[in-house]
């Protein structure tokens, strides 16, 4: 399998990484997500990595790239479900995932996205009047 | 002393995944704790990728160790690629010639109990790491 499925959940996209990620798969995901954010007018992206038994520099870099590229496209990314052992190892590896927001699980990640987006909407209406 | 060993090719990014899986299996067999399994699998991923990307492919030798009641896993990554000109520089956090984060070698060292690197220009690179239970 060479593609990870991307699910649309209202304004959000949900990616559940369920397989061992090889590098090409990670590259494809980055590309597919960019396209999908635009075509689905997504405001947020949730990436569930609870199935991953490790995150190395390559996957870490990919998560960072997805976060910054989605921000440019006006969507927020939250990485959810990182296992504790993976998080500890990541720090020792030297990766701090700057710019990548994380949450415990999909529900918390979803709350985080909703909160962020409603703050943006409030700021927007302050400057431009109510957009709705 | 190695009580078991296995040699695997590293010629593609799929091979990197296979190597990770085999290392995890051996780490579990050797009784490494989850956190130590995770550390050696992550170091494996870094070194296997370097072997494939910079070394043009190579092999890894997996060895299950037992020494005076201590159990561990030793991995030797080997390629016949271009070698590394300046090892001190290559071991620095953030040094990369491949547009990476430059964390693979230094990070793999931090994640291992023992780390050895030997590289000769024009001949290749060999990295050996060990993680004990
Ligand atoms: N097997 C190898 N053969 C030749 N050069 C290597 C090899 N392994 C590492 N290098 C050199 O050492 C540099 C540092 O390696 P390191 O793994 O630390 O970082 P990287 O691979 O560039 O980035 P990252 O691993 O963070 O994605 C590489 O950019 C490369 O120039
Ligand atoms: Mg590397």
């Amino acid at each position: 399998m060479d593609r990870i499925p991307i699910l649309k959940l209202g304004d959000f996209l949900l990616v559940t990484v369920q397989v061992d990620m090889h590098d090409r798969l990670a590259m494809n995901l980055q590309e597919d997500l960019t396209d999908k954010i635009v075509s689905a007018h997504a405001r947020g992206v949730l990436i569930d990595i609870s199935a991953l038994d490790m995150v190395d520099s390559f996957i870490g870099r990919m998560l960072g790239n997805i976060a910054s590229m989605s921000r440019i496209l006006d969507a927020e990314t939250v990485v959810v479900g990182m296992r504790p052992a993976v998080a500890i190892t990541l720090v020792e590896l030297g990766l701090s995932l700057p710019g990548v927001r994380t949450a415990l699980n999909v529900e918390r990640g979803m709350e985080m996205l909703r909160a962020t987006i409603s703050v943006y909407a409030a700021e927007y209406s302050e400057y431009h009047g109510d957009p709705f | 002393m190695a009580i078991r060993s296995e040699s695997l090719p590293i010629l593609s990014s799929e091979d990197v995944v296979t190597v990770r899986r085999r290392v995890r299996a051996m780490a579990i067999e050797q009784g490494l704790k989850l956190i130590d399994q995770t550390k050696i699998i992550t170091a494996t991923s870094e070194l296997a990728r370097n072997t494939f990307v910079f070394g043009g492919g190579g092999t890894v030798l997996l060895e299950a160790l037992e020494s005076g009641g201590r159990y561990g896993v030793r991995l030797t990554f080997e390629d016949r690629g271009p070698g590394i000109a300046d090892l001190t520089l290559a071991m620095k956090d953030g040094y990369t010639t491949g547009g990476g984060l430059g964390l693979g070698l230094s990070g793999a060292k931090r994640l291992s109990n023992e780390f050895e690197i030997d590289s000769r220009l024009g001949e290749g690179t060999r990295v050996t790491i060990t993680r004990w239970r």
Side-chain angles (χ1 to χ4, degrees), chain A residues 12-88:
Chain A
F12 305 145
L13 300 178
L14 173 64
V15 178
T16 308
V17 182
Q18 264 162 338
V19 286
D20 279 325
M21 283 252 252
H22 60 73
D23 295 358
R24 199 156 14 80
L25 199 61
M27 299 297 290
N28 288 348
L29 176 62
Q30 222 169 290
E31 251 181 63
D32 292 350
L33 258 179
T34 325
D35 295 345
K36 193 79 185 218
I37 289 170
V38 174
S39 68
H41 307 288
R43 303 297 316 273
V45 178
L46 288 162
I47 305 178
D48 184 354
I49 61 164
S50 55
L52 291 186
D53 65 357
M54 61 114 233
V55 168
D56 61 9
S57 63
F58 194 89
I59 297 178
R61 188 150 51 99
M62 174 206 69
L63 294 173
N65 286 349
I66 289 176
S68 33
M69 153 285 292
S70 71
R71 205 161 291 137
I72 292 170
L73 298 173
D74 198 23
E76 276 295 313
T77 297
V78 180
V79 172
V80 304
M82 189 186 295
R83 299 182 189 174
V86 172
I88 293 168

Side-chain angles (χ1 to χ4, degrees), chain B residues 54-128:
Chain B
F54 300 111
T59 56
V60 59
L61 176 69
L62 285 66
E63 292 173 290
L65 303 180
E66 204 252 285
S67 152
R70 281 215 303 172
Y71 291 86
V73 175
R74 180 166 62 205
L75 307 170
T76 305
F77 297 84
E78 222 171 335
D79 66 64
R80 292 173 178 271
I84 299 172
D86 186 338
L87 271 183
T88 317
L89 194 59
M91 288 302 301
K92 283 212 171 98
D93 272 357
Y95 177 79
T96 178
T97 59
L101 296 171
L103 288 175
L105 285 177
S106 51
K109 184 175 182 183
R110 281 191 290 272
L111 293 173
S112 308
N113 294 126
E114 290 156 34
F115 180 97
E116 251 177 81
I117 183 163
D118 187 14
S119 187
R120 265 169 227 174
L121 269 187
E123 287 182 32
T125 301
R126 184 172 63 225
V127 183
T128 305

